[in-house]
Amino acid sequence: FPSHDSPDLSFNGRQLSYRDVDEASARVANALRTSGFDQGMKAAVYALNCDQAFIATLGIVRAGGI
């Protein structure tokens, strides 16, 4: 298995490690839960970059959304 610091996501020359993706998606999930987002709720993603969309989508799933 790759290490937690191995590159996971690369977009337009920007690389994010597994750790970066994990921490960023956890922040999204926590922000959603804090704002009242509940398991099974739907969420939309508006992002200008693919890496932001990926992280947001992962955060939604981590928060229990669909």
Side-chain angles (χ1 to χ4, degrees), residues 8-26:
D8 179 41
L9 182 63
S10 179
F11 179 74
N12 280 347
R14 179 178 170 200
Q15 285 193 339
L16 298 173
S17 69
Y18 285 96
R19 183 182 314 276
D20 295 333
V21 172
D22 182 52
E23 290 172 355
S25 65

Side-chain angles (χ1 to χ4, degrees), residues 47-61:
L48 298 176
N49 298 317
C50 282
D51 56 343
Q52 293 172 341
F54 178 76
I55 289 169
T57 302
L58 188 56
I60 292 166
V61 171

Side-chain angles (χ1 to χ4, degrees), residues 21-43:
V21 172
D22 182 52
E23 290 172 355
S25 65
R27 285 192 300 273
V28 170
N30 289 334
L32 286 169
R33 286 190 211 107
T34 300
S35 68
F37 191 80
D38 225 353
Q39 189 164 352
M41 293 179 84
K42 294 179 183 177

